[in-house]
């Protein structure tokens, strides 16, 4: 009996150990089935193993490990899959644009919001993205019906306080504070609003992706689901995206390719002016831009930005030149100021605000080599008044003449407008849309224009209008035309 009892205990212990070992092996087998990948947090490039440098964008230490999850491609609605058909059979009459009541916004996106469109609005923190979309939401809510404003950053009370300050309180403006994208899509399908706003895409997460909100995988998956939601439901959706220190929207570059419209809201927070630019627009031109002014009661449209920018321009001050600047297809008159003074140090200082620093160094070298100005012992400062960032070649000649004006202490005629690109040999090259620039400046009372000689033959302006248009082929000729 004792022998049989001991044998039974041994068999029981063996089965227990075998069961534990089998469970452990099974657990290790299950764990080994979980596949991981390494994703770049800057561009979204994927790799099977960790890399110090991303092969896609070249950034260092940006590869983060994520769990590889098979994406669900289930449709949001029960509508049958579309069939191929001839393009002339496609009906576009049922796509009226939604007018927001903000003419600057409507013009930038091509005349209104297209049903089923997915818009991406980016900009620096505190620039006014949420304020702009709240005003857009109020305009659509008053004209077309309910608007669903989804906030993942602010509480409903905070949004109401901002709406009261802007005077945009409406019963059709629905506030929903949620981060789970599955819940958001279900609520939007149930409410069927006229417009949906996501503030912001970096705070949303999908339960299918086991990573934190704001990661590359979450941003890509969330944008993909919102794109399917907008296309299948026909409800236009706008998402706010944060930008990085380089000025690009945070997340993979694929994000901008997925959406229909990419808007950038730019401007210096210390200045009142804001510029809305269309970087990508499948429903209109990308050459449009909207000018806003940040006021106490929200963003106000600027009907005549050139008049405001030149309102405080000093008369008869050396170093001041007016530039006809092209913001998209709109002509703006901006004052370029330059200050040149003898340096107290061995190395002269150069500084540019609103103008490219490297371009300033190039223009100073051209003035020294081609014109003969001794600027090696002079500090040079250039400023574009109003907080605008000028990035077009037509600003070269005004900047060069402003530097010469300050260096020689000779003022430029207050009724003169200058525009032109400067080459390394000192030549003045042609610019685009010279006629539109001159027309805008003439409407504000300017009578004298210094433009590239190559643009003279293409002008269609009547010479009887009393305008003095001077074509110059080099910086030396421009100096002779201006400093008379």
């Amino acid at each position: 009996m004792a022998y049989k009892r001991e044998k039974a205990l041994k068999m029981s212990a063996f089965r227990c150990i075998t069961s534990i070992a089998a469970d452990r092996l099974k657990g290790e087998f299950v764990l080994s089935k979980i596949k991981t990948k390494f994703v770049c947090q800057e561009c979204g490039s994927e790799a099977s193993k960790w890399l110090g440098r991303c092969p896609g964008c070249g950034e260092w230490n940006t590869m983060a490990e994520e769990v590889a999850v098979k994406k669900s491609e289930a449709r949001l609605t029960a509508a049958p899959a579309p069939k191929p058909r001839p393009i002339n059979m496609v009906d576009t009459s049922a796509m009226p644009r939604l007018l927001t009541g903000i003419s600057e916004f409507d013009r930038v996106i091509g005349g209104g919001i297209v049903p089923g469109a997915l818009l991406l609005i980016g900009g620096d923190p505190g620039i006014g993205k949420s304020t702009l979309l709240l005003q857009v939401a109020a305009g659509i809510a008053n004209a077309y019906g309910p608007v669903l404003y989804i906030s993942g950053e602010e509480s409903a009370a905070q949004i109401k306080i901002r709406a009261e300050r802007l005077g945009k309180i409406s019963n059709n403006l629905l506030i929903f504070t949620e981060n789970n994208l599955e819940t958001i899509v279900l609520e939007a399908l149930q409410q069927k609003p006229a417009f949906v706003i996501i503030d912001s895409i970096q705070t949303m997460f999908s339960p299918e992706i086991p990573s934190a909100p704001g990661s590359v995988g979450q941003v890509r998956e969330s944008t993909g689901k919102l794109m399917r939601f907008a296309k299948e439901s026909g409800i236009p959706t706008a998402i706010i995206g944060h930008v990085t220190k380089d000025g690009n929207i945070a997340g993979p570059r694929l994000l901008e390719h997925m959406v229909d419209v990419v808007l950038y809201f730019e401007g210096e927070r210390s200045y009142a002016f804001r510029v809305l630019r269309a970087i990508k627009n499948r429903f209109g031109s990308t050459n449009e831009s909207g000018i806003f002014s940040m006021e106490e009661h929200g963003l106000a449209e600027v009907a005549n930005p050139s008049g405001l920018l030149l309102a405080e321009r000093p008369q008869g001050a050396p170093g001041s030149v007016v530039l006809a600047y092209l913001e998209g297809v709109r002509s703006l008159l901006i004052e370029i100021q330059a200050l040149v003074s003898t340096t107290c140090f061995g190395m002269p200082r150069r500084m540019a605000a609103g103008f490219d620093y490297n371009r300033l160094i190039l223009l100073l070298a051209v003035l020294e080599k081609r014109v003969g100005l001794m600027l090696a012992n002079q500090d040079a400062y250039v400023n574009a008044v109003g907080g605008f960032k000028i990035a077009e070649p037509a600003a070269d000649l005004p900047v060069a003449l402003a530097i010469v004006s300050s260096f020689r202490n000779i003022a430029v005629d207050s009724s003169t407008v200058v525009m032109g690109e400067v080459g390394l040999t000192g030549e003045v090259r042609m610019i685009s849309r010279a006629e539109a620039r001159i027309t805008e400046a003439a409407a504000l009372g300017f009578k004298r224009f210094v433009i590239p000689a190559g643009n003279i033959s293409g002008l269609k302006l009547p010479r009887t209008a009393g305008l003095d248009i001077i074509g110059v082929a080099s910086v030396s000729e421009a100096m002779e035309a201006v400093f008379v």
Side-chain angles (χ1 to χ4, degrees):
M1 291 295 293
Y3 173 76
K4 291 181 177 181
R5 189 181 301 112
E6 184 179 358
K7 186 176 181 180
L9 290 174
K10 289 182 178 180
M11 290 299 296
S12 178
F14 177 78
R15 292 193 189 97
C16 183
I17 294 173
T18 305
S19 177
I20 293 174
D23 291 341
R24 182 176 299 175
L25 289 174
K26 183 178 179 181
E28 291 177 356
F29 179 77
V30 171
L31 289 176
S32 65
K33 286 293 183 181
I34 300 178
K35 296 182 178 180
T36 60
K37 60 183 179 180
F38 292 87
V39 182
C40 175
Q41 301 302 301
E42 294 292 334
C43 67
S45 179
E46 298 181 0
S48 59
K49 61 181 180 179
W50 184 85
L51 300 173
R53 185 178 186 181
C54 173
C57 61
E59 295 292 331
W60 289 90
N61 298 325
T62 58
M63 306 296 288
E65 186 176 11
E66 295 183 3
V67 178
V69 180
K70 186 179 293 185
K71 296 182 180 179
S72 175
E73 298 294 339
R75 298 178 64 84
L76 297 173
T77 62
K83 299 293 184 181
R85 51 180 170 169
I87 190 171
N88 58 358
M89 300 296 293
V90 177
D91 183 20
T92 59
S93 60
M95 296 182 63
R97 292 177 180 260
L98 303 181
L99 299 178
T100 64
I102 305 176
S103 59
E104 291 289 308
F105 185 88
D106 292 337
R107 185 167 52 81
V108 170
I109 62 178
I113 300 175
V114 176
L118 184 62
L119 294 78
L120 175 62
I121 294 93
D124 294 331
I127 205 67
K129 303 184 297 295
S130 300
T131 300
L132 175 63
L133 282 184
L134 192 59
Q135 294 182 210
V136 169
I140 295 179
N142 294 331
Y144 300 98
V147 173
L148 186 59
Y149 190 104
I150 300 158
S151 176
E153 300 177 347
E154 298 177 299
S155 64
Q158 290 175 309
I159 299 175
K160 182 181 179 182
I161 292 173
R162 181 189 291 120
E164 289 177 343
R165 177 174 57 85
L166 301 177
K168 302 298 181 182
I169 297 295
S170 174
N171 290 331
N172 285 332
L173 184 55
L174 309 178
I175 306 300
F176 188 38
T177 55
E178 180 59 54
N179 298 90
N180 192 330
L181 200 61
E182 303 291 343
T183 306
I184 291 172
V185 170
L186 292 176
E187 187 66 26
L189 290 173
Q190 191 175 26
Q191 294 287 342
K192 295 182 179 179
F195 191 47
V196 174
I197 297 175
I198 306 293
D199 186 9
S200 64
I201 190 63
Q202 277 81 10
T203 61
M204 301 297 151
F205 73 93
S206 174
E208 298 179 3
I209 303 296
S211 59
S215 63
V216 170
Q218 285 287 3
V219 171
R220 183 172 53 222
E221 180 69 15
S222 300
T223 306
K225 289 189 175 182
L226 289 173
M227 180 185 65
R228 293 193 295 270
F229 160 75
K231 300 304 179 185
E232 296 176 12
S233 65
I235 300 174
T237 304
I239 57 180
I240 293 177
H242 297 311
V243 298
T244 61
K245 61 182 180 180
D246 298 328
N248 299 319
I249 295 179
R253 298 296 296 182
L254 178 65
L255 185 65
E256 299 184 11
H257 294 282
M258 295 170 65
V259 300
D260 298 313
V261 180
V262 179
L263 303 176
Y264 273 83
F265 203 42
E266 303 173 351
E268 296 290 338
R269 280 187 288 181
S270 56
Y271 290 90
F273 289 105
R274 303 287 189 269
V275 180
L276 182 67
R277 292 189 177 93
I279 307 300
K280 172 186 176 182
N281 191 358
R282 289 174 177 165
F283 312 114
S285 173
T286 57
N287 293 326
E288 295 287 352
S289 60
I291 311 296
F292 296 87
S293 177
M294 181 62 77
E295 307 293 342
E296 182 180 357
H297 300 289
L299 291 167
E301 301 177 65
V302 180
N304 185 18
S306 299
L308 291 178
L309 290 171
L310 299 178
E312 300 180 0
R313 181 190 173 209
Q315 299 294 325
S320 175
V321 177
V322 177
L323 158 69
Y325 173 61
L326 207 62
E327 180 62 52
V329 295
R330 170 187 288 187
S331 297
L332 301 178
L333 298 183
I334 297 178
E335 180 189 0
I336 301 295
Q337 293 182 343
L339 177 62
V340 178
S341 61
T342 305
T343 183
C344 298
F345 306 97
M347 181 69 68
R349 189 175 186 184
R350 283 80 166 89
M351 183 177 296
F355 188 73
D356 185 45
Y357 174 79
N358 294 323
R359 196 70 183 173
L360 173 60
I361 301 299
L362 183 148
L363 293 175
L364 291 173
V366 170
L367 291 176
E368 284 196 15
K369 183 69 174 180
R370 305 301 177 186
V371 182
L373 297 183
M374 297 301 296
L375 299 174
N377 62 341
Q378 302 289 323
D379 291 334
Y381 307 91
V382 172
N383 176 38
V385 178
F388 284 87
K389 295 180 180 179
I390 300 175
E392 73 156 339
D396 291 349
L397 188 57
V399 169
L401 293 181
I403 293 173
V404 175
S405 173
S406 178
F407 179 72
R408 293 185 173 179
N409 201 27
I410 303 175
V412 178
D413 183 23
S414 60
S415 62
T416 301
V417 175
V418 182
M419 62 196 87
E421 178 184 359
V422 176
L424 292 180
T425 60
E427 80 280 10
V428 178
R429 295 178 173 270
M430 294 176 58
I431 59 174
S432 62
R433 299 178 61 86
E435 186 174 345
R437 301 172 196 253
I438 295 175
T439 302
E440 174 69 18
L444 292 178
F446 289 90
K447 300 296 182 182
R448 199 160 183 264
F449 301 89
V450 178
I451 68 173
N455 288 107
I456 292 292
S457 59
L459 293 180
K460 299 179 181 179
L461 294 172
R463 290 303 180 96
T464 58
L467 302 180
D468 184 14
I469 302 177
I470 304 173
V472 296
S474 64
V475 178
S476 301
E477 291 185 17
M479 293 171 57
E480 293 177 0
V482 170
F483 305 110
V484 293

